[in-house]
Amino acid sequence: MANKALTRTDHPLASSPTSTPAVALTRRGLLGISLGAAAAFALGACGSEAGAGVSGGRLTWAWQLPTTWDPVTSSAGSDVQMLALVYEGITGLDEKGNPVPWLAEKWTYDPTGTQVTFTLKEGLKFSDGTPLDATAVAKSVERGRTADGSLIAPQMIGITKVTASGDLDVVLDLAEVDYQIPALFAGKTGMVVNPAAFEKDPAALATAPAGSGPFTLTTFVENDHAELVKNTHFQLADQIQVDEFHLYPQPDPATAVASVQSGQYNVARISGAQVEQAEQAGLDVQILDSMFVSCLDVHAGMKPFDDPAVVDALKYGIDREKIKKVANFDIGDVNYQPFPKGYVGYNPELEGIYEYDPEKAKQVLADAGHTGTVKGEFTSAQPVAAVELIQAQLKEVGIELTIKSIPATQHTQLVYIEHSQALTYDGFAGRESPVQAFQVLFGKEGLMNPSRRTDPALEAQLKKVRATPTDDPTYPSILQEAMKIAITSFPNTFLYNAPRIIVRKKVSELPASPSLQRFEGVKTS
């Protein structure tokens, strides 16, 4: 796609400077709460009223609405994108996925590694103008850790006590050594909610968020749209160039391009199938790297995938390049692991580990004594061409799957709660903490580990990961070894990384953000 309207915005992984110790990180050019506009702002900026005079018009984004505006009860991983409009994390991530300062200007661990102190920036405020201090942060973390119905509590099970020391220091006592806390706090788990809101009426947060992010919610019509205005108390308010932000669900694919062309929206998410149409309409198409990876959930406790040979044949019997071309019009990169290239946990040794080899897949089945066709069931929440292509490819190697379509409304219950499906076409959106990603995919209670089986070797390696500071030179290799163990021991089958594809009209280029989308520096015309 050589059309000049198509812009691929990559994060500068290769040129990233080496991480410096977390206790001293204050560098400029970092990507925001996850990975945002590098050159647009300095993390040290702290603008309260400074942004009030910056004009900007309205940004109308057709993406999706959150399941709730409360990060503690949010049930969808993708909610974090919308929640970041109104909340900020205690930390952020750099372009390699390493934790960096955000609300906290630094953090320090004690010599035992079982206590960590986050020191906040001075002058932080919530959107209502009240101080965002250590007491407020401690209360917010404690709520996430202990509140009934908290869906982020499992991520903080290792935190035994949260206290405020003075106005700026938040002290966490840990049950065991865990250097992953700063990374964890870059996502929903670390989003700070104003105690004035949840102490008064926590249920109201579902429709009335109270944070310190770049925007403040003014109107919310469930399943329809949300209206937000610029938060002049946001620490980087002088970098927010739009006064209003309207959020809508993703439009129907048949009308997505037309809706931007007509001016109904000025930014919308589209699929690879719509890129050519958008270009022909004279619109700007931008491809943004993401943490999303297309994959298959494999239940190793259900036939026929309770046989390791069938799982191996499955992995070798899929032509991922063709799947990517059919499912995403050849946009994205084939991947055999959940982390993208350049990410700290990406293990280059795994490139091509299960490269398409139908003859090898057949031989694996034959060596295991399978003389006839192996039969099973293949679940999909929606009819997609990739599912039928995978079905056809596996049939060629001797695995015959019957496709069972289930309503999207039942998908979560059947796949993630009941674990009643043998094979499911799925996607993983990534997590801020690598260990958290491992828990979701390979942990005993992992949502995407339907058989609930664990591996002692992986558990032991993840313990080493937690016990290693993220700025330690050995950290990447220790984490990558955990990835190697997981990919070679678990049935999870990864297919390709899928970038976000957006179409724009009269909106400047969006910052590169493989994790969360940032809006500092974005202008409308």
Side-chain angles (χ1 to χ4, degrees):
M1 282 174 278
N3 192 309
K4 64 181 181 181
L6 178 62
T7 305
R8 182 178 179 90
T9 308
D10 297 299
H11 50 298
L13 296 172
S15 61
S16 170
T18 303
S19 295
T20 51
V23 295
L25 276 170
T26 56
R27 55 182 157 136
R28 303 167 68 93
L30 296 170
L31 303 175
I33 192 172
S34 50
L35 308 175
F41 55 88
L43 285 177
C46 199
S48 54
E49 304 295 338
V54 178
S55 63
R58 176 188 300 169
L59 182 65
T60 305
W61 178 280
W63 193 355
Q64 71 180 77
L65 295 172
T67 59
T68 175
W69 288 96
D70 184 355
V72 167
T73 57
S74 164
S75 60
S78 55
D79 280 352
V80 71
Q81 300 282 1
M82 284 62 68
L83 295 175
L85 296 173
V86 293
Y87 295 104
E88 294 181 274
I90 296 172
T91 60
L93 297 179
D94 71 7
E95 60 276 9
K96 288 188 176 182
N98 293 305
V100 296
W102 192 253
L103 288 175
E105 67 176 10
K106 66 178 182 179
W107 57 88
T108 54
Y109 275 84
D110 74 350
T112 69
T114 59
Q115 185 182 81
V116 56
T117 299
F118 291 90
T119 301
L120 303 175
K121 297 175 183 176
E122 294 185 7
L124 297 172
K125 294 181 180 180
F126 288 107
S127 59
D128 64 359
T130 58
L132 193 164
D133 56 16
T135 297
V137 173
K139 287 182 176 181
S140 182
V141 173
E142 184 65 14
R143 173 179 177 251
R145 189 175 76 89
T146 62
D148 291 341
S150 171
L151 297 181
I152 61 174
Q155 306 305 325
M156 294 191 282
I157 194 169
I159 300 174
T160 59
K161 187 178 180 181
V162 185
T163 55
S165 177
D167 292 334
L168 299 179
D169 288 343
V170 181
V171 183
L172 276 63
D173 292 334
L174 311 176
E176 59 183 6
V177 178
D178 190 353
Y179 288 101
Q180 287 287 301
I181 300 298
L184 185 67
F185 278 176
K188 281 193 292 185
T189 307
M191 286 183 172
V192 178
V193 182
N194 192 338
F198 63 74
E199 289 177 346
K200 179 180 179 181
D201 184 6
L205 287 166
T207 56
S212 62
F215 300 98
T216 302
L217 184 70
T218 57
T219 302
F220 179 54
V221 180
E222 193 170 1
N223 300 318
D224 188 81
H225 79 285
E227 297 178 11
L228 305 95
V229 296
K230 175 180 174 178
N231 172 21
T232 57
H233 295 291
F234 174 51
Q235 61 171 313
L236 300 176
D238 58 335
Q239 300 298 328
I240 298 299
Q241 304 294 310
V242 293
D243 293 326
E244 297 180 52
F245 194 110
H246 289 194
L247 183 67
Y248 289 84
Q250 185 174 6
D252 184 279
T255 63
V257 173
S259 65
V260 175
Q261 191 175 22
S262 68
Q264 181 180 0
Y265 313 117
N266 50 24
V267 181
R269 187 173 55 166
I270 61 174
S271 69
Q274 299 162 293
V275 169
E276 184 175 355
Q277 179 191 359
E279 290 180 325
Q280 291 177 348
L283 300 174
D284 293 319
V285 176
Q286 187 176 355
I287 299 176
L288 292 154
D289 284 340
S290 78
M291 295 289 289
F292 185 88
V293 59
S294 177
C295 61
L296 300 176
D297 295 336
V298 185
H299 197 318
M302 295 182 67
K303 292 185 178 300
F305 305 107
D306 55 346
D307 184 342
V310 175
V311 172
D312 284 346
L314 169 78
K315 292 182 177 182
Y316 286 114
I318 294 176
D319 187 340
R320 290 165 175 79
E321 282 288 350
K322 284 189 177 180
I323 300 300
K324 181 188 68 173
K325 289 178 181 179
V326 167
N328 218 39
F329 280 64
D330 209 22
I331 297 175
D333 298 309
V334 164
N335 201 353
Y336 301 88
Q337 54 190 303
F339 298 150
K341 290 181 180 179
Y343 186 82
V344 65
Y346 180 85
N347 189 331
E349 291 182 30
L350 300 175
E351 280 192 44
I353 185 172
Y354 296 114
E355 190 171 0
Y356 181 51
D357 191 339
E359 294 306 314
K360 185 170 185 176
K362 293 176 185 178
Q363 190 61 51
V364 167
L365 291 176
D367 291 345
H370 293 282
T371 57
T373 301
V374 175
K375 296 187 176 184
E377 197 169 68
F378 190 9
T379 300
S380 174
Q382 55 186 339
V384 290
V387 172
E388 294 182 353
L389 181 54
I390 291 173
Q391 178 193 42
Q393 290 177 351
L394 293 178
K395 186 176 181 179
E396 291 182 4
V397 302
I399 302 175
E400 188 172 325
L401 301 175
T402 301
I403 296 175
K404 182 179 77 170
S405 295
I406 57 177
T409 54
Q410 298 178 20
H411 183 263
T412 296
Q413 179 68 28
L414 295 175
V415 176
Y416 300 137
I417 298 177
E418 296 181 9
H419 313 295
S420 60
Q421 308 306 302
L423 181 68
T424 305
Y425 185 75
D426 206 351
F428 177 61
R431 294 295 188 273
E432 284 73 23
S433 162
V435 171
Q436 185 184 7
F438 275 94
Q439 290 171 337
V440 173
L441 294 166
F442 314 111
K444 187 175 182 180
E445 302 300 325
L447 288 176
M448 299 178 73
N449 181 15
S451 59
R452 291 299 196 258
R453 295 181 180 178
T454 58
D455 185 299
L458 179 60
E459 293 299 315
Q461 189 66 21
L462 288 178
K463 189 171 183 179
K464 292 181 182 178
V465 172
R466 290 190 185 92
T468 306
T470 57
D471 59 330
D472 188 293
T474 65
Y475 174 71
S477 62
I478 293 173
L479 182 58
Q480 290 164 21
E481 179 61 23
M483 180 53 62
K484 183 177 181 180
I485 294 171
I487 295 304
T488 56
S489 303
F490 284 76
N492 308 56
T493 301
F494 300 94
L495 305 174
Y496 66 93
N497 285 109
R500 291 192 295 272
I501 310 172
I502 62 166
V503 58
R504 299 181 279 112
K505 182 179 182 180
K506 296 183 177 180
V507 176
S508 63
E509 189 172 299
L510 300 186
S513 3
S515 184
L516 296 187
Q517 185 60 58
R518 300 297 304 178
F519 295 94
E520 286 81 10
V522 177
K523 300 178 181 179
T524 60
S525 60

